[in-house]
Amino acid sequence: MSEENVVYIGNKPVMNYVLAVVTQMNGGVPEVVLKARGRAISRAVDVAEIVRNRFITDVDIGGIDISTEEIVSNEGSNTNVSTIEIQLCKL
Amino acid sequence: MSEENVVYIGNKPVMNYVLAVVTQMNGGVPEVVLKARGRAISRAVDVAEIVRNRFITDVDIGGIDISTEEIVSNEGSNTNVSTIEIQLCKL
């Protein structure tokens, strides 16, 4: 999958990301992956649910993966952060 | 599945929930489901990742489901909240 089908979820309002997904899918992209880590994980779930419940009803959750990333801070210490990937597929 | 295999994730420290899962699994329960909604969703992912990376390495993610619940507030207005269910299975 090319990188242009990935929407990274950060701290912006949920609707910004919903719009990004809807725009891509209405432009013909059949599959979009939402990626988030840490506290943005709940927002990624919100985005997926809002897209499929309110905007594109023929979208299905293709799969959900969770994992852990190690982040090295400026001081050299390591922190683990959880990540999620939600695959949205247009039927 | 009986309700005793469900761990509801709320606002307590992550390690409380990790301990609950580890205790159940070490007591012979082969399958535990983590349920969370709203902002606790990221904590549920943390719990799953910490359990399988640090405590019980032969645990696998059986499946992850997301959905939406409608909550009726005291004033009668409706709010949608996202939910997650993470199934942990001991191999």
Side-chain angles (χ1 to χ4, degrees):
Chain A
M1 181 184 313
S2 67
E3 278 297 306
E4 63 190 8
N5 299 343
V6 175
V7 174
Y8 291 92
I9 310 294
N11 290 317
K12 293 182 191 159
V14 174
M15 278 312 188
N16 292 31
Y17 304 108
V18 171
L19 186 65
V21 175
V22 170
T23 306
Q24 285 207 24
M25 288 200 151
N26 286 344
V29 176
E31 201 179 299
V32 173
V33 176
L34 308 177
K35 291 191 183 189
R37 53 189 193 184
R39 290 197 195 168
I41 287 175
S42 357
R43 189 169 292 120
V45 174
D46 289 341
V47 171
E49 285 297 305
I50 292 172
V51 166
R52 68 170 181 169
N53 289 330
R54 282 205 249 159
F55 289 95
I56 313 182
T57 46
D58 59 345
V59 156
D60 212 9
I61 308 286
I64 304 177
D65 265 338
I66 61 176
S67 70
T68 303
E69 271 179 31
E70 206 173 66
I71 293 185
V72 182
S73 72
N74 293 337
E75 295 85 38
S77 62
N78 288 3
T79 318
N80 288 330
V81 64
S82 302
T83 65
I84 198 167
E85 289 190 25
I86 304 175
Q87 193 184 10
L88 297 174
C89 306
K90 206 165 178 178
L91 298 179
Chain B
M1 182 183 315
S2 68
E3 279 296 307
E4 63 190 7
N5 299 345
V6 176
V7 173
Y8 291 92
I9 311 293
N11 292 317
K12 293 182 193 162
V14 173
M15 279 310 186
N16 292 31
Y17 304 107
V18 171
L19 186 66
V21 174
V22 171
T23 306
Q24 284 207 26
M25 288 201 151
N26 285 344
V29 176
E31 201 180 297
V32 172
V33 176
L34 308 177
K35 293 193 182 188
R37 53 189 193 183
R39 291 197 194 167
I41 287 176
S42 1
R43 189 169 291 121
V45 175
D46 289 340
V47 171
E49 286 296 306
I50 291 172
V51 166
R52 69 171 180 166
N53 289 330
R54 283 206 249 160
F55 290 95
I56 313 181
T57 45
D58 59 343
V59 155
D60 212 9
I61 308 286
I64 303 177
D65 264 339
I66 60 175
S67 71
T68 303
E69 270 179 31
E70 206 173 65
I71 294 186
V72 182
S73 72
N74 292 335
E75 294 87 37
S77 62
N78 288 4
T79 318
N80 287 330
V81 65
S82 302
T83 65
I84 197 168
E85 289 189 26
I86 304 175
Q87 194 185 10
L88 297 174
C89 304
K90 207 165 178 178
L91 299 180

